[in-house]
Amino acid sequence: GTSTGTFSSTNVSGQSYVIGLTGADVKDAAQLAGVLVFNADGTVSGFGNYNDLTPPSQGPNPITAATYTVDATGRVTITGVNSAPFNVGTNTIDYLELYLDGSGHAVATVLNGSANAIGGLGYQQNQTTPFTTASLSGAYVIDATGWDHSESGELDAVGAVTATASSATFTGS
């Protein structure tokens, strides 16, 4: 469409993206996932989780201090993610960058000087009701990546599952 490749303050405001990024940080493998809600006042809300696959495991935490700007290139820069939910221990994330792809989704990457190399995709949520836990009920195909320091290293899985929001469970294989 006419907005292919560029975000603007009007086409990102009020939108929600689910992001999933994988890569490496100073500790080894790293994963970042979240729901980013771009508010009209320039703030970002939602939930996020950053895990460098070392204890303690991290749970989804609310995004409370993030803001976003859209620059002349059409890139969205999110700042204020240098505290929970996107940090573990001494590792920090200074900027989260989103670029619009040709299908209305986002390519996301972490930019900072803490030896992070983390990137992935974000999917725009096109629904008329707010994004909630109940929105996740239904059939999905998922993929997962992990790291086992005591065994063979990287672990990967993919499969069909059914999500049941009322019990916060996945079933399937």
Side-chain angles (χ1 to χ4, degrees), residues 66-88:
T67 60
Y68 73 93
T69 57
V70 181
D71 67 26
T73 69
R75 172 183 63 191
V76 174
T77 300
I78 302 171
T79 57
V81 292
N82 55 355
S83 60
F86 294 122
N87 293 322
V88 175

Side-chain angles (χ1 to χ4, degrees), residues 129-150:
T129 58
F131 188 75
T132 64
T133 303
S135 304
L136 293 174
S137 287
Y140 295 89
V141 173
I142 64 168
D143 72 86
T145 299
W147 192 267
D148 184 344
H149 291 281
S150 63

Side-chain angles (χ1 to χ4, degrees):
T2 58
S3 296
T4 299
T6 59
F7 281 110
S8 70
S9 57
T10 55
N11 73 3
V12 75
S13 178
Q15 299 300 315
S16 298
Y17 284 82
V18 172
I19 62 169
L21 290 73
T22 59
D25 66 9
V26 295
K27 292 184 178 181
D28 218 341
Q31 298 172 329
L32 185 151
V35 176
L36 306 174
V37 179
F38 295 94
N39 302 308
D41 64 359
T43 61
V44 179
S45 57
F47 288 86
N49 179 28
Y50 181 87
N51 192 333
D52 62 0
L53 306 177
T54 59
S57 60
Q58 302 294 310
N61 296 299
I63 299 170
T64 58
T67 60
Y68 73 93
T69 57
V70 181
D71 67 26
T73 69
R75 172 183 63 191
V76 174
T77 300
I78 302 171
T79 57
V81 292
N82 55 355
S83 60
F86 294 122
N87 293 322
V88 175
T90 59
N91 188 56
T92 61
I93 294 173
D94 300 323
Y95 304 100
L96 182 60
E97 304 283 349
L98 276 70
Y99 301 87
L100 190 61
D101 74 4
S103 63
H105 301 301
V107 176
T109 187
V110 169
L111 296 178
N112 74 348
S114 296
N116 287 326
I118 305 169
L121 297 175
Y123 296 92
Q124 184 178 11
Q125 302 304 294
N126 295 317
Q127 58 190 62
T128 56
T129 58
F131 188 75
T132 64
T133 303
S135 304
L136 293 174
S137 287
Y140 295 89
V141 173
I142 64 168
D143 72 86
T145 299
W147 192 267
D148 184 344
H149 291 281
S150 63
E151 294 293 327
S152 60
E154 183 175 339
L155 307 170
D156 299 290
V158 63
V161 298
T162 299
T164 305
S166 61
S167 62
T169 60
F170 286 107
T171 56
S173 57

